[in-house]
Amino acid sequence: MTEISNTDCTRLRGEECKVRLGKGLHILGLELAILTMRKHEVSRFLIRPDYAYGKTGCPPRIPPAATLIFDVEILSFVDQEGVDDYYSMTPDERKSRLTFANIEKVVRAENNAANILEGYHLKNDEEEKQWKKQLLKVYVNSAICCHNIKHFGRCISYCNQAINIDRGNIKAHYFKGKALHGMGKFDDAKESLRRARNLDPSNTMVSKAMQALAKSIRDHELFEKDMYKKMFSQPTSAASKEASSSKENGGEATKTSHGTCSDGFRAIVKEQLEKFQKDTSMVEMPFPPIPMSEAEIECILSTAQEMGMNVQSKGTGSSLRYEVYKKTAP
C-alpha cells in the first residue's frame, strides 16, 4: 500500500476550498467523508485507492494505487438540494413540479450567496467587474424566486438592487413590474414594464405582462365607476326615506351599525373581492380613493373578513384609502 500526504494544503495557500457535492467534481471518498461531518468539525480521513484515484493514480503528484490522507475542517455549508434542479427546469416544469418548500430553499441559498458577495472586499477593478456580474445574477435569481412564491416586496427589493448594478437589465424591470402589479400599484407597474419593453420591444413575456396589467387597470376603473353609481343612487337621510329611495333606484338597503349601505353597493364590493380572490397573480387590491360613508367602509370591512381577507387603511384625511390583502400573502 502506498500512502502519501502533504501534496496540497489550502491552509498554507491561505485559501478556502469550496466543494460542490454530488456533481462528480471530487473523488468519491472525499465527498462521502464530507457528508458525515458537521459545521466546524475537524476530521482526518484515510481514503483507499478505489475511492480515490484508483490503480493508475494521477501522475506526477499521485502515484498508482495511492491511499490518501485528508485533514478536513467544515467552515460553512449551503444546502443545495433542489437548488440545482430549479435552474435545470423550464418555467413550465417549475410551475408543475416544484413545491413552495423547494422555492424557499432556492431563495435561502441565493440570499446566502448575496451575503457572501456583499461582504467581500474588492482588491482591484477586475475583481469588481466579476463581483458585479455575480451579484447581479444572484439578485435577479432571488427576485424570480420571490416572485414565484408571491413575496412581492422582497422581489421588488432584489430588482432594485439589480437595477442599481445594471439599469439595462430587462429581467429586473420585468419582474419588478409584475410584482408591483401583484401589489396593486398599477402606475408604478406600468412604468417598470414600459422600461422593460423599451429595452426589448419584441419580448413576448413583457408584452403579455403589459396586456395583463392593462386588463387589471380597466377592471379597476370600471369598479370605481360602479362604486360611484351605487353611492350616488343610495339615500342619506332617515330610515324610511332610505328604504323608499333605494327601492326606486332598483335596490334594497342593508342596515349597519354606522347607518345604511345599499345592497347594490355591497353586491359590487363582493363581486370585486371575488374576482380578486380568484386572481392568483395579485395579493393586494386597492379600493378606489373616493369618499365613502362609515356604513360603506363597514360594508367593505365585513365583506372582506367574511371572505377571509384583511383590510388596511393608509393615509389620513382626504388621502385616506383602503387596501385589501389576501391572508396567504407575505
Side-chain angles (χ1 to χ4, degrees), residues 123-138:
K123 297 181 178 66
N124 51 53
D125 292 343
E126 182 58 31
E127 279 197 352
E128 182 177 5
K129 182 179 178 181
Q130 293 301 317
W131 175 81
K132 285 183 177 180
K133 180 180 179 181
Q134 291 300 322
L135 197 55
L136 177 63
K137 181 179 178 181
V138 168

Side-chain angles (χ1 to χ4, degrees), residues 136 139-140 157-167 169 172:
L136 177 63
Y139 286 149
V140 171
S157 177
Y158 281 124
C159 287
N160 287 336
Q161 289 173 301
I163 292 169
N164 286 337
I165 295 175
D166 179 10
R167 299 188 66 83
N169 190 283

Side-chain angles (χ1 to χ4, degrees), residues 96-265:
S96 62
R97 294 170 56 185
L98 293 181
T99 64
F100 181 84
N102 296 142
I103 297 294
E104 282 194 314
K105 186 174 290 185
V106 178
V107 172
R108 287 195 297 271
E110 293 293 355
N111 187 59
N112 185 66
N115 291 337
I116 293 171
L117 286 167
E118 288 167 354
Y120 181 72
H121 297 286
L122 301 170
K123 297 181 178 66
N124 51 53
D125 292 343
E126 182 58 31
E127 279 197 352
E128 182 177 5
K129 182 179 178 181
Q130 293 301 317
W131 175 81
K132 285 183 177 180
K133 180 180 179 181
Q134 291 300 322
L135 197 55
L136 177 63
K137 181 179 178 181
V138 168
Y139 286 149
V140 171
N141 287 340
S142 297
I144 294 172
C145 292
C146 287
H147 176 271
N148 289 346
I149 57 176
K150 296 181 174 55
H151 286 190
F152 292 146
R154 293 185 193 176
C155 175
I156 292 168
S157 177
Y158 281 124
C159 287
N160 287 336
Q161 289 173 301
I163 292 169
N164 286 337
I165 295 175
D166 179 10
R167 299 188 66 83
N169 190 283
I170 185 173
K171 286 186 178 180
H173 290 292
Y174 167 72
F175 281 101
K176 181 180 178 180
K178 291 197 69 177
L180 287 165
H181 180 185
M183 296 177 71
K185 303 182 185 300
F186 299 139
D187 290 340
D188 292 336
K190 188 175 182 179
E191 177 62 20
S192 289
L193 291 175
R194 182 189 64 79
R195 291 177 179 176
R197 184 185 60 186
N198 289 343
L199 291 168
D200 185 2
S202 62
N203 190 298
T204 56
M205 296 298 291
V206 174
S207 297
K208 289 180 180 179
M210 294 192 76
Q211 291 170 8
L213 176 61
K215 182 180 183 302
S216 292
I217 293 174
R218 288 195 300 271
D219 290 345
H220 188 72
E221 290 174 345
L222 181 61
F223 174 49
E224 184 173 357
K225 290 179 181 178
D226 287 342
M227 282 189 68
Y228 267 118
K229 290 178 182 178
K230 297 302 180 184
M231 287 171 63
F232 291 142
S233 68
Q234 74 174 42
T236 58
S237 58
S240 59
K241 185 178 179 181
E242 290 168 351
S244 61
S245 178
S246 62
K247 288 179 179 179
E248 289 174 3
N249 286 302
E252 297 294 333
T254 300
K255 192 75 173 178
T256 74
S257 60
H258 293 289
T260 302
C261 171
S262 73
D263 286 352
F265 181 87

